[in-house]
Amino acid sequence: MSLLTKPVSAEHISVHSNRPLIQCNCCKRIEQAKQAVTKSAWLQAANHIGWRHVQSEAFDIDVVCPSCVSDFNNPVKKPMKPIKRVSA
C-alpha cells in the first residue's frame, strides 16, 4: 500500500474565539493557538510541525496530526503465530 502525504490547506483551519485551530480527523486531537494569530501563520506552523493530508488506495483523510502520520508510516506489526508441529 502506498501512502501519499501532502501539507494541509487553509480550508482545514477554523477560527474559534478569534484563535485558529486544527483538528485531526483520525484521533480527534485539537490544537488551538493560545493567542490571536493569523490563519495563514497557523497554517504554516501546522505544516511545519507535521500536520498532513494523507491518501492511499484505501482511504483519504484531510487532516492528520503528526503522531497519527507517524503511526501510518510505521504500522505496528502483529506477532507471528508459532507453527504447530505434529510429532511423527
Side-chain angles (χ1 to χ4, degrees), residues 11 25 33 45 49 53 78-79 83:
E11 65 191 26
N25 290 338
I49 64 169
H53 176 156
K78 294 181 180 177
I83 300 172

Side-chain angles (χ1 to χ4, degrees), residues 8 31 37 39-52:
V8 293
E31 284 193 9
V37 296
K39 194 173 178 178
S40 61
W42 189 250
L43 175 65
Q44 184 179 9
N47 284 320
H48 180 73
I49 64 169
W51 286 78
R52 295 289 181 260

